[in-house]
Amino acid sequence: MVQVNGNYLKLKAGYLFPEIARRVKAFSEAHPEAPIIRLGIGDVTEPLPEACREAMKAAIDEMGTREGFHGYGPEQGYLWLREAIAKNDFQARGCQVNPEEIFVSDGSKCDSSNILDILGEGNRIAVTDPVYPVYVDSNVMAGRTGDADEAGQYGGLTYLPITATNGFCAPLPEGKVDLIYLCFPNNPTGAVATREQLKQWVDYALANNALILFDAAYEAFIQDPSLPHSIYEIEGARDCAIEFRSFSKNAGFTGTRCALTVVPRGLMGTAANGEKVELWSLWNRRQCTKFNGVSYIVQRGAEAVYAPAGRAQVQALIAFYMANATIIRRELSAAGLEVHGGQQAPYVWLKTPTGIDSWGFFDHLLGKAHVVGTPGSGFGAAGEGYFRLSAFNSRANVEEAMRRIRSL
């Protein structure tokens, strides 16, 4: 009989969001009359920007002609999209990122997992706690960890607690680590990092020959112009960081699928024999072997994000969701809850009432208010006692959800 990958058996439980879906499904079947409002999974709700839709329609028409048909495209993405990304997302902010260093993909969730393909098994890995579950689970699946303890923390990982005390910005590791996962604006807490804080991380990575995996999926939601959107705004970051970005949340591409990873030329790793190896070459080889690229139609839609009309429509979407976040913050604060986040990110991180744990609060909101959120403990042991609400929903649903919560 075929053997399975035993690393999967080390996973403490089902992935957080399927577990939420399971509980909601069970509740819905038991209470079919309950009008459930979902503020849990960070999925967008508003329509795709018109500019993106029109670009994709035109691309479909192109595909219907012999002259305009496109088959396999470049595994790295079409050059015209990579040039638009480099110019608008990076060079406009003073970052030295070239089109050839950008790899277009079908999701930053996928890329942040697949990047392990080119990294050795002996790396000492640091993650924040709480943390986006994919960073931990993908390392478990790849055999980079030991078993989980009673608190759900895996052997072989260095956990960096992010709390209200440290402003939800993790302290530097006390010892030496090789691989560091950072996410700003942070999922789940909604916290952001200043230039000074990111500079500390870059300096640490350079001093310890470490690699930072920087998830900037929510950078478009930053409202404060003094805050960095990319780690490459920090001097030295090209020599120690890979950055992940996505069109999912800013342009509503969660169901359309388009993202990107930046791997700078000259960013080096070390082979087992001590030889220096360029990570760009390894990632390019990996993508050429295991990935066939994002569809031409979708990439044309992504390109439209950078046109004047697309830019305005994306900004309107961001403003809409951030207004939702403002409403959530205001109403939860008025209800007497301790609230964090929601000012530079579409997530609000709230302290659960005294005596109620994260999953208990999940069941309480679902059962009494018919509102779905995300238990903080699902993001790590340090998330216990917290709860995440997403601003991704219609204005009417957000206002109704807050009315229900305040009436509890």
Side-chain angles (χ1 to χ4, degrees):
M1 184 177 293
V2 66
Q3 292 187 353
V4 300
N5 181 347
N7 294 309
Y8 279 67
L9 305 180
K10 294 190 298 187
L11 293 170
K12 184 173 180 294
Y15 183 53
L16 172 62
F17 301 111
E19 173 60 18
I20 290 173
R22 186 192 68 77
R23 293 194 183 205
V24 173
K25 181 174 183 291
F27 179 84
S28 297
E29 290 175 347
H31 306 277
E33 76 290 348
I36 295 175
I37 297 176
R38 302 170 191 268
L39 300 179
I41 296 176
D43 194 1
V44 296
T45 57
E46 302 307 296
L48 283 170
E50 181 181 4
C52 299
R53 301 197 309 268
E54 292 303 319
M56 286 189 277
K57 289 176 184 176
I60 290 173
D61 289 339
E62 280 187 73
M63 294 287 281
T65 67
R66 183 171 295 279
E67 298 77 14
F69 177 78
H70 289 74
Y72 291 123
E75 292 91 348
Q76 303 83 1
Y78 286 99
L79 181 59
W80 37 262
L81 176 56
R82 299 160 79 196
E83 288 176 337
I85 293 168
K87 176 182 177 181
N88 292 280
D89 286 344
F90 295 101
Q91 294 168 5
R93 301 194 66 85
C95 303
Q96 296 180 349
V97 172
N98 300 316
E100 70 166 344
E101 298 173 322
I102 294 168
F103 294 80
V104 178
S105 76
D106 58 352
S108 56
K109 173 182 175 180
C110 307
D111 285 354
S112 65
S113 300
N114 293 333
I115 199 71
L116 293 176
D117 283 1
I118 68 168
L119 301 174
E121 296 182 359
N123 290 311
R124 290 160 291 191
I125 302 163
V127 296
T128 60
D129 182 11
V131 67
Y132 181 43
V134 170
Y135 308 154
V136 172
D137 288 0
S138 59
N139 275 283
V140 176
M141 293 171 176
R144 311 294 175 91
T145 75
D147 293 325
D149 61 19
E150 293 183 358
Q153 295 188 334
Y154 288 91
L157 297 183
T158 297
Y159 288 87
L160 307 174
I162 52 177
T163 65
T165 302
N166 60 29
F168 299 102
C169 187
L172 297 175
E174 293 183 0
K176 186 181 186 303
V177 298
D178 304 301
L179 191 60
I180 304 161
Y181 287 83
L182 294 180
C183 175
F184 290 110
N186 185 253
N187 178 15
T189 69
V192 287
T194 64
R195 292 182 186 276
E196 293 73 22
Q197 289 168 329
L198 283 187
K199 181 68 163 55
Q200 291 177 352
W201 280 106
V202 169
D203 289 347
Y204 173 91
L206 292 173
N208 290 276
N209 293 316
L211 175 66
I212 297 172
L213 300 180
F214 190 77
D215 188 345
Y218 299 94
E219 58 80 26
F221 294 88
I222 294 174
Q223 307 294 299
D224 185 342
S226 71
L227 294 171
H229 288 240
S230 169
I231 197 165
Y232 300 122
E233 295 180 50
I234 309 303
E235 185 178 358
R238 284 182 54 88
D239 296 323
C240 65
I242 290 173
E243 182 166 309
F244 307 99
R245 288 202 180 195
S246 175
F247 292 93
S248 285
K249 307 303 168 70
N250 62 335
F253 274 48
T254 54
T256 309
R257 310 310 303 150
C258 195
L260 61 117
T261 291
V262 179
V263 184
R265 295 302 303 256
L267 176 61
M268 309 299 284
T270 306
N273 63 3
E275 179 186 354
K276 297 291 185 181
V277 180
E278 186 182 49
L279 297 184
W280 183 95
S281 299
L282 298 183
W283 183 246
N284 187 60
R285 183 68 171 85
R286 188 266 173 206
Q287 293 298 83
C288 290
T289 299
K290 291 190 173 184
F291 186 57
N292 266 340
V294 176
S295 81
Y296 172 76
I297 296 165
V298 169
Q299 290 192 60
R300 282 299 187 192
E303 180 191 31
V305 166
Y306 302 106
R311 189 184 300 274
Q313 291 158 16
V314 167
Q315 287 302 314
L317 275 179
I318 292 168
F320 175 83
Y321 290 127
M322 289 308 296
N324 280 351
T326 298
I327 292 170
I328 295 171
R329 278 185 57 90
R330 182 189 68 220
E331 295 302 309
L332 293 180
S333 296
L337 294 168
E338 179 184 321
V339 179
H340 304 276
Q343 294 175 305
Q344 314 291 337
Y347 295 123
V348 174
W349 187 244
L350 64 102
K351 192 83 173 64
T352 60
T354 303
I356 305 179
D357 65 17
S358 296
W359 278 107
F361 193 63
F362 174 90
D363 292 333
H364 176 67
L365 283 190
L366 179 59
K368 300 296 184 182
H370 309 324
V371 173
V372 177
T374 310
S377 60
F379 297 101
E384 181 54 82
Y386 285 92
F387 200 79
R388 192 192 77 176
L389 288 178
S390 165
F392 294 122
N393 215 308
S394 69
R395 184 63 44 76
N397 277 350
V398 166
E399 291 176 341
E400 172 61 16
M402 293 305 101
R403 185 195 67 78
R404 294 181 193 176
I405 291 175
R406 288 198 62 179
S407 67
L408 292 177

